């Protein structure tokens, strides 16, 4: 929930109609993009409770963790009360705190009455932050298991691993690059939280030894839970964690979100295909003057009035478009839907619909409005809109001619097109650069289609280099079977089904990246379908087929391509051995 002060900060911004982009290519860094503990936006003063009671293994890092949280509180306007007394868990006492941090708690730490008080606190809108061994806590309390998202299973030795940052809009991860290399004790979990929580970061199991979650290994996540907010991070075993600026900022972002000082879309997310993943603008085109600069996986507007539009594909039917955006200050931009292909940015204005980004203007042309047609619910918008300098997430959900607009996971507008000259169900999408002085940034543009252009699965051969077909070795269906090139023969081993959820199936199983890896040369194999990102493939306009999770392409190995040539994952380069013709 927002305080009046924060609502006032939120209402910065500027006015008018917006358009256009052009991208200056620069590969995003694969490292942490913060070298110091950056300050979050000013928050009203609040209090958190840090609870570190242990009934099992006790981490030596707890004292360092408490000290780090106190330091964050001093720097960022919140007070830390630290305790190991479970007697603090009463309804009256908990009511003073915006969030409760379980700092490497272990075992059964609360009795029944204390559990009931904490459940009441969460259901009343309270926040929960779990750090590391918080997942090794209260195994017999179903409410807590749901709150934490997943419970501890095992761990390998302390070692360096690559953390893949999946959500760069949440305040806990927005400061990070696409990959975060760090050393910790990396927990395996009993269940995968992806179906119930928004995964913010996951582990590349090929980058270390001992991961056992079949290549889909969440390590930080958030969720709305029974009226409250829950954030968990698996980091924090080592003493050194709490002096790392990037990890401290990660904790700060989790605390701010759990305490309601910032908002994010923490709904579970699966099945989306990247239109812009931070590494390439292939398939996008600039219309009009100005453009966008690509840096750190982010498109940032300059000049205008123009628009950067996805020219490679026209979307028809029902779909959900998601994208993350941030205004630098009192800046203007918008997202356009349902317009015909054109190099004139005004064509989108006159033939499509703009979802506005600009929080101060008339009601029908402010953030969340369908520009010129329908205002957002301003009260609902203000309750969840993050101020300039912080990231927001839009979901634009098209069902028939109905457009539902979600901001940071909350519905703020519901519009139905009745103009026969326009259609939400058919057209291109684009982002606008409004003009000189307007600086709006975008990340992670992705889409999930439910119909229209892809009304159902398509089946047939997948043809590659030298006219050979993608083939399951010896027609075997055992998990781990090699995928290769072979002379086309029309058998079931070469009959692939391309589904709307991004899976590619043969013999009842899925085309899979071994271990969910991302290294060049990672084996591509047949595996039981499991709904993970290792089994999602996205055809590109240049003929390549990309695994969005890794950002790499399906590739026929080597330099001569004969029967039996294995396929694997490789950095995209658009050579002939990465071009595929799909059914």
């Amino acid at each position: 929930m927002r305080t009046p002060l924060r609502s006032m900060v939120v209402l910065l911004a500027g006015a008018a109609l917006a358009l256009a982009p052009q991208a200056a290519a620069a590969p995003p860094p694969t490292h942490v993009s913060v070298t110091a503990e950056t300050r979050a936006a000013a928050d009203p003063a609040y209090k958190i409770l840090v609870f570190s009671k242990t009934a099992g293994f006790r981490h030596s890092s707890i004292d360092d963790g408490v000290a780090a949280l106190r330091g964050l509180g001093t720097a960022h306007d919140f007070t830390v009360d630290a305790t190991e007394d479970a007697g603090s868990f009463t309804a009256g006492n908990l009511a003073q705190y915006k969030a409760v941090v379980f700092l490497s708690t272990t075992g059964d730490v609360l009795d029944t009455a204390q559990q009931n008080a904490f459940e009441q606190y969460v259901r009343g809108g309270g926040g929960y932050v779990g750090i590391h061994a918080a997942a090794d806590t209260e195994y017999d309390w179903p409410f807590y298991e749901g709150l934490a998202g997943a419970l501890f299973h095992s761990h390998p030795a302390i070692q360096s691993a690559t953390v893949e940052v999946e959500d760069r809009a949440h305040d806990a991860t927005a400061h990070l690059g696409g990959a975060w290399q760090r050393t910790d004790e990396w927990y395996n979990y009993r269940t995968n939280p992806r179906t119930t929580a928004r995964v913010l970061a996951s582990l590349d199991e090929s980058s270390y030894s001992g991961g056992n979650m079949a290549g889909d290994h969440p390590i930080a996540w958030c969720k709305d839970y029974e009226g409250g907010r829950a954030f968990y991070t698996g980091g924090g075993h080592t003493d050194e964690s709490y002096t790392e600026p990037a990890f401290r900022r990660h904790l700060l972002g989790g605390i701010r979100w759990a305490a309601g000082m910032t908002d994010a879309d923490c709904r579970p997310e699966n099945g989306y295909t990247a239109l812009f993943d931070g590494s390439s603008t292939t398939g996008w085109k600039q219309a009009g003057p100005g453009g966008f600069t690509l840096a750190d996986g982010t498109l940032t507007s300059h000049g205008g009035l123009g628009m950067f539009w996805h020219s490679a594909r026209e979307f028809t039917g029902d779909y959900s478009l998601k994208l993350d955006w941030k205004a630098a200050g009192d800046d203007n931009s918008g997202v356009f839907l349902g317009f015909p292909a054109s190099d004139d940015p005004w064509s989108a204005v006159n033939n499509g619909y703009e979802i506005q980004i600009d929080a101060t203007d008339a009601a029908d042309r402010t953030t969340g409005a369908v520009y010129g047609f329908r205002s957002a619910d301003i009260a609902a918008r203000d309750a969840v809109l993050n101020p300039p300098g912080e990231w927001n997430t839009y979901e634009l959900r098209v069902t028939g001619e109905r457009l539902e607009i979600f901001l940071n996971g909350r519905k703020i507008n519901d519009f139905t097109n009745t103009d026969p000259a326009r259609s939400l169900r058919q057209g291109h999408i684009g982002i606008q650069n409004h003009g000189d002085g307007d600086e709006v940034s975008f990340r992670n543009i992705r889409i999930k289609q439910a119909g229209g252009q892809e009304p159902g699965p398509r089946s047939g051969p997948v043809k590659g280099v030298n006219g050979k077909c993608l083939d399951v070795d010896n027609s075997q269906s055992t998990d781990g079977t090699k995928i290769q090139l072979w002379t086309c023969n029309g058998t079931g081993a070469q009959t692939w089904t391309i589904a709307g959820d991004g899976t590619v199936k043969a013999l009842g199983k899925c085309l899979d990246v071994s271990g969910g890896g991302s290294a060049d040369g990672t084996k591509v194999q047949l595996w039981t379908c499991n709904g993970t990102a290792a089994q999602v493939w996205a055809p590109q306009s240049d003929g390549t087929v990309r695994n969005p999770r890794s950002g790499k392409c399906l590739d026929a190995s080597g330099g001569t391509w004969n029967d039996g040539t294995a396929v694997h994952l490789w950095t995209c380069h658009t050579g002939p051995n990465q071009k595929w013709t799909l059914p």
Side-chain angles (χ1 to χ4, degrees):
M1 292 181 292
R2 295 303 174 94
T3 65
L5 173 62
R6 186 161 180 81
S7 294
M8 289 172 63
V9 174
V10 156
L11 288 174
L12 283 172
L17 183 60
L19 260 109
Q22 134 195 1
T30 57
H31 57 275
V32 176
S33 61
V34 63
T35 56
E37 188 180 298
T38 55
R39 182 174 176 83
D43 296 324
Y46 61 99
K47 295 176 68 174
I48 67 169
L49 178 66
V50 177
F51 183 55
S52 55
K53 179 180 177 180
T54 56
F57 181 82
R58 184 169 182 84
H59 285 75
S60 63
S61 60
I62 287 176
D63 290 344
D64 296 280
V66 170
L69 295 175
R70 289 191 189 280
L72 289 173
T74 299
H76 298 281
D77 307 314
F78 61 87
T79 300
V80 173
D81 289 343
T83 187
E84 301 204 348
D85 180 7
S88 298
F89 283 73
T90 66
N93 187 56
L94 292 175
Q96 64 183 305
Y97 300 110
K98 289 289 190 180
V100 177
V101 179
F102 278 58
L103 174 60
S104 285
T105 50
T106 54
D108 187 359
V109 291
L110 299 178
D111 66 22
T112 300
Q114 293 156 357
Q115 290 176 357
N116 289 339
F118 189 56
E119 289 185 20
Q120 178 184 341
Y121 166 79
V122 172
R123 290 181 175 126
Y128 163 86
V129 174
I131 300 175
H132 193 58
D136 189 21
T137 301
E138 294 289 355
Y139 289 95
D140 299 321
W141 183 12
F143 177 89
Y144 184 83
E145 181 177 2
L147 182 71
L151 295 178
F152 169 81
H153 174 270
S154 60
H155 66 78
I158 297 170
Q159 59 194 294
S160 178
T162 301
V163 179
E164 297 176 334
V165 181
E166 298 188 27
D167 185 328
R168 296 186 67 205
H170 195 286
D171 196 51
T173 44
H175 64 292
L176 301 170
W180 183 17
Q181 197 73 28
R182 63 180 307 270
T183 297
D184 217 314
E185 180 184 74
W186 303 112
Y187 277 7
N188 299 308
Y189 301 96
R190 298 184 179 193
T191 56
N192 192 316
R194 191 175 293 277
T195 58
T196 61
R198 173 62 169 137
V199 175
L200 305 178
S202 55
L203 293 174
D204 176 357
E205 288 193 334
S206 69
S207 70
Y208 73 106
S209 299
N212 70 359
M213 296 186 68
D216 183 20
H217 195 142
I219 198 65
W221 54 83
C222 63
K223 64 193 298 188
D224 294 311
Y225 186 72
E226 297 200 16
R229 296 181 174 202
F231 168 86
Y232 172 83
T233 180
H237 172 86
T238 65
D239 298 355
E240 293 79 10
S241 294
Y242 298 98
T243 59
E244 294 177 32
F247 185 71
R248 288 166 61 98
R249 184 63 184 84
H250 177 59
L251 294 180
L252 174 62
I255 290 168
R256 292 188 70 231
W257 177 80
M261 299 298 123
T262 188
D263 270 284
D265 188 346
C266 284
R267 298 173 297 169
E269 183 175 308
N270 290 287
Y272 283 79
T273 298
L275 299 181
F276 168 69
D277 64 3
S279 61
S280 171
T281 56
T282 299
W284 291 80
K285 190 176 182 182
Q286 175 68 25
F292 283 82
T293 301
L294 171 58
D296 189 28
T298 304
L299 290 167
T300 301
S301 67
H302 61 85
L305 187 125
M307 184 170 61
F308 202 42
W309 61 290
H310 192 67
S311 60
R313 186 171 176 187
E314 182 179 56
F315 294 99
T316 61
D318 300 343
Y319 61 87
S320 167
L321 175 72
K322 284 191 175 184
L323 71 168
D324 305 329
W325 60 267
K326 176 180 70 172
D330 183 5
D331 298 293
N332 198 324
S333 182
V335 182
F336 280 81
L337 306 177
F339 58 90
S342 176
D343 289 328
D344 178 5
W346 288 98
S347 175
V349 177
N350 297 326
N351 298 288
Y353 285 106
E354 179 188 5
I355 294 80
Q356 177 71 340
I357 296 171
D358 177 1
T360 56
D361 205 333
D364 66 347
R365 55 191 63 189
T366 184
T367 299
V370 182
Y371 190 95
F373 291 90
R374 183 178 178 86
S375 170
D377 179 331
I378 299 300
R381 190 279 309 272
D382 288 354
V384 296
L385 176 62
N386 291 324
E390 295 191 23
W391 288 92
N392 294 275
T393 298
Y394 266 158
E395 180 192 0
L396 310 178
R397 184 185 299 172
V398 172
T399 309
E401 291 294 341
R402 180 186 185 189
L403 170 62
E404 297 171 273
I405 300 173
F406 296 79
L407 176 65
N408 295 325
R410 274 67 170 182
K411 186 173 176 178
I412 62 167
N413 206 342
D414 197 330
F415 167 75
T416 299
N417 169 49
T418 58
D419 182 350
R422 302 178 190 240
S423 177
L424 286 161
R425 300 188 78 243
Q426 183 169 358
H428 292 268
I429 68 101
I431 54 176
Q432 182 186 68
N433 55 301
H434 183 263
D436 290 337
D438 286 312
E439 183 180 316
V440 178
S441 299
F442 295 87
R443 285 177 174 172
N444 194 16
I445 305 173
R446 65 264 195 206
I447 198 164
K448 178 164 65 174
Q449 281 202 272
Q453 196 168 351
E454 294 180 299
R458 301 112 63 205
S459 295
V462 174
K463 295 183 179 180
V465 64
N466 293 342
K468 293 186 179 291
C469 279
L470 195 66
D471 177 276
V472 180
D473 186 22
N474 205 29
S475 298
Q476 297 180 70
S477 60
T478 306
D479 282 352
T481 296
K482 171 187 175 184
I483 305 298
Q484 59 188 4
L485 291 181
W486 201 269
T487 301
C488 297
N489 55 32
T491 65
Q494 296 181 357
T495 302
W496 296 90
T497 298
I498 315 297
D501 61 0
T503 57
V504 180
K505 300 177 183 177
L507 305 176
K509 294 195 173 181
C510 280
L511 191 69
D512 177 278
V513 179
S514 178
S518 60
D520 282 352
T522 299
K523 178 183 179 182
V524 172
Q525 61 189 1
L526 200 69
W527 199 271
T528 300
C529 297
N530 54 31
T532 66
Q535 297 180 352
V536 174
W537 301 90
Q540 305 295 304
S541 60
D542 59 7
T544 61
V545 176
R546 180 178 297 179
N547 171 241
R549 170 73 173 277
S550 63
K552 295 192 174 179
C553 281
L554 185 67
D555 178 284
S557 62
T560 56
W561 304 292
N562 303 309
D563 284 354
T565 295
V567 298
H568 58 193
L569 204 65
W570 202 266
T571 300
C572 299
H573 54 64
T574 70
N577 58 320
Q578 291 189 351
K579 298 292 181 69
W580 304 92
T581 301
L582 305 183

